[in-house]
């Protein structure tokens, strides 16, 4: 068993490390579910701001991006995203934006128009942008092992393999060796004859 300060460390199904939930299965479904729950809690705490008529739309959207969306996408740079997870994240964001704009049933608005009014982008593009930013930040770090592995050039000479030998038969030529023809008949006796028409034999290849 693993010990820490002479105390055995118990085995658990999930644990939280640097704000991200790590489960036994090794996926990110549990972490994304936890992120949505935490972001929903942060959104509900600011309910008075979303309902306020004195605060402008741009201010509300800035508060949403800094206080809710940042909680939702924390650690998204390392997520293993699937279509199901992206749909859950996008549905939560769309619900929040509709409430900020006070668009309720039976009013309808397409997601594209909703994103244009709120100056938002699809959640998959937002995650991709965060990944590229994280990668650039990582590569700019001094004494970076990742940069070393990217710039690494292989050394040594490429091993040359000997060409495969082919035995080809050409018209008018003589095949290497004679084929043994077994004469049909009752005795089963065999006789060796040179090959008369070598073009009838397929190409032979030594392996």
């Amino acid at each position: 068993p693993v010990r820490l300060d002479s105390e055995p460390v118990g085995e658990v199904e999930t644990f939280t490390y640097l704000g991200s939930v790590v489960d036994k299965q090794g996926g990110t479904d549990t972490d994304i579910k936890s992120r949505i729950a935490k972001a929903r809690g942060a959104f509900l705490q600011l309910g008075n701001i979303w309902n306020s008529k004195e605060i402008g739309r741009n201010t509300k959207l800035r508060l949403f991006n800094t206080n809710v969306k940042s909680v939702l996408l924390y650690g998204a740079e390392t997520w293993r995203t699937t279509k199901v997870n992206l749909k859950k994240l996008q549905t939560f964001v769309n619900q929040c934006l509709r409430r900020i704009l006070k668009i309720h049933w039976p009013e309808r608005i397409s997601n594209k128009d909703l994103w244009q009014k709120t100056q938002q982008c699809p959640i998959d593009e937002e995650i991709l942008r965060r990944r590229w930013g994280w990668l650039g930040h990582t590569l700019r770090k001094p004494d970076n092992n990742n940069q070393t592995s990217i710039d690494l050039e292989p050394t040594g000479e490429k091993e040359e393999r000997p060409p495969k030998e082919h035995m080809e038969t050409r018209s008018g030529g003589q095949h290497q060796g004679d084929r043994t023809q077994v004469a049909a008949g009752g005795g089963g006796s065999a006789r060796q004859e040179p090959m008369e028409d070598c073009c009838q034999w397929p190409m032979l290849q030594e392996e």
Side-chain angles (χ1 to χ4, degrees), residues 8-14 24:
V9 178
E11 183 178 355
V12 295
E13 296 293 333
T14 60
K24 190 175 183 180

Side-chain angles (χ1 to χ4, degrees), residues 17-198:
Y17 179 73
L18 296 178
S20 299
V21 179
V22 182
D23 61 353
K24 190 175 183 180
Q25 303 299 329
T28 56
D29 297 344
T30 306
D31 188 26
I32 292 177
K33 184 178 180 180
S34 175
R35 287 287 110 196
I36 294 176
K38 293 179 180 180
R40 181 177 289 108
F43 184 82
L44 295 177
Q45 289 181 356
L46 301 176
N48 295 332
I49 295 179
W50 315 133
N51 298 329
S52 176
K53 297 181 180 179
E54 299 178 356
I55 301 177
R57 177 189 299 179
N58 294 334
T59 304
K60 292 181 180 180
L61 293 175
R62 290 180 61 184
L63 291 173
F64 172 76
N65 292 332
T66 56
N67 294 274
V68 179
K69 206 170 184 180
S70 60
V71 176
L72 178 67
L73 299 180
Y74 176 81
E77 296 84 357
T78 58
W79 282 351
R80 181 178 60 85
T81 56
T82 61
K83 292 183 178 180
V84 176
N85 292 332
L86 290 176
K87 185 177 180 180
K88 292 180 180 179
L89 294 169
Q90 190 65 72
T91 300
F92 171 76
V93 172
N94 293 345
Q95 291 175 352
C96 295
L97 296 177
R98 283 184 170 88
R99 181 173 177 181
I100 293 175
L101 298 182
K102 297 181 179 180
I103 299 176
H104 304 288
W105 180 263
E107 298 179 3
R108 294 184 180 181
I109 184 175
S110 63
N111 292 335
K112 186 176 181 179
D113 294 338
L114 179 65
W115 299 335
Q116 289 180 354
K117 287 186 176 182
T118 56
Q119 298 179 355
Q120 301 286 328
C121 63
I123 200 68
D124 55 344
E125 295 182 6
E126 179 71 20
I127 294 177
L128 183 61
R129 187 182 297 111
R130 286 171 174 259
R131 285 176 178 174
W132 281 113
W134 172 77
L135 179 61
H137 172 73
T138 304
L139 296 179
R140 287 190 297 268
K141 293 173 60 178
D143 299 333
N144 186 8
N145 294 330
N146 295 330
Q147 182 66 41
T148 303
S149 61
I150 291 177
D151 296 338
L152 179 63
E153 295 182 358
T155 58
E157 297 181 356
K158 183 178 179 181
E159 181 181 359
E160 296 183 358
R161 297 182 179 180
K164 294 183 179 181
E165 297 182 358
H166 297 271
M167 291 195 310
E168 299 182 356
T169 59
R170 298 181 180 179
S171 178
Q174 185 176 2
H175 192 270
Q176 297 180 3
D178 297 332
R179 302 284 297 188
T180 302
Q181 282 187 334
V182 179
S189 60
R191 61 188 178 90
Q192 294 184 354
E193 295 182 355
M195 184 177 60
E196 297 179 357
D197 190 2
C198 59

